[in-house]
């Protein structure tokens, strides 16, 4: 059984609700609204796939998205669009899958592919968690800050 959980609020909620109703898939989709960080973490632990279909536009794009790193750290397989900071974190085929923005066919293929190939999803999730531990740990971040401060004080 498949269930799409949508966490967060935004201006497209009404449009999405209408599309869901029109396509008669309401029983497969649940809007959870805004949740605390702890609540979101619980859902990451239960999820098979985290999807971040961000878009780039004239006003910019999401630089990276803490939500993506949180999902990756939980060992969840991730699918994201190749925009903004996402493409620098998700190494396509290694720790997640990247798809072109606004390419719904490619997004669906990536999602369905991971749902069908549980071993691939598990491997991507494992690699994602390891990547976040290695690249975004507090010790790594503090080392990077120390390098910056050292350069500034020269």
């Amino acid at each position: 059984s498949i269930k799409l959980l949508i966490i967060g609020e935004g201006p497209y909620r009404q449009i999405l609700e209408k599309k869901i109703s029109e396509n008669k898939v309401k029983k497969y989709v649940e809007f959870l609204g805004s949740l605390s960080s702890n609540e979101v973490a619980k859902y990451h632990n239960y999820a098979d796939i985290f999807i971040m279909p961000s878009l780039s536009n004239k006003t910019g794009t999401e630089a990276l998205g803490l939500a993506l790193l949180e999902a990756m750290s939980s060992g969840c397989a991730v699918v994201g669009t190749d925009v903004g900071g996402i493409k620098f974190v998700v190494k396509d085929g290694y720790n997640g899958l990247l798809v072109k923005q606004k390419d719904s066919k490619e997004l669906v293929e990536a999602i369905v592919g991971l749902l069908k190939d549980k071993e691939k999803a598990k491997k991507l999730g494992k690699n994602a968690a390891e990547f976040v531990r290695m690249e975004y740990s507090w010790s790594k971040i503090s080392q990077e800050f120390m390098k910056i401060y050292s350069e500034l004080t020269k």
Side-chain angles (χ1 to χ4, degrees), residues 115-133:
L115 290 172
K116 287 182 176 179
D117 189 345
K118 299 281 187 196
E119 285 304 311
K120 180 178 182 178
K122 188 175 180 180
K123 184 175 181 183
L124 291 175
K126 182 180 177 203
N127 290 345
E130 182 64 22
F131 175 81
V132 172
R133 272 193 293 284

Side-chain angles (χ1 to χ4, degrees), residues 18-82:
K18 183 179 178 197
K19 292 261 186 208
I20 289 163
S21 182
E22 288 171 357
N23 289 293
K24 297 177 177 50
V25 292
K26 197 170 185 173
K27 67 180 181 178
Y28 301 109
V29 182
E30 186 176 344
F31 286 88
L32 300 174
S34 294
L35 300 175
S36 71
S37 296
N38 288 338
E39 291 172 310
V40 171
K42 288 178 192 174
Y43 282 102
H44 286 157
N45 290 326
Y46 295 125
D48 293 317
I49 304 170
F50 175 85
I51 307 158
M52 190 160 200
S54 295
L55 301 173
S56 179
N57 57 37
K58 292 178 184 175
T59 59
T61 185
E62 189 159 7
L64 173 54
L66 186 56
L68 176 65
L69 291 175
E70 289 170 342
M72 291 174 78
S73 72
S74 75
C76 191
V78 298
V79 177
T81 45
D82 61 353

Side-chain angles (χ1 to χ4, degrees), residues 82-120:
D82 61 353
V83 299
I86 298 169
K87 62 187 173 193
F88 297 108
V89 174
V90 176
K91 310 299 180 204
D92 189 42
Y94 174 70
N95 64 2
L97 297 177
L98 285 174
V99 298
K100 289 183 232 53
Q101 69 170 328
K102 299 181 183 177
D103 189 335
S104 57
K105 184 177 184 226
E106 188 179 9
L107 181 62
V108 167
E109 287 172 359
I111 294 166
V112 170
L114 289 177
L115 290 172
K116 287 182 176 179
D117 189 345
K118 299 281 187 196
E119 285 304 311
K120 180 178 182 178

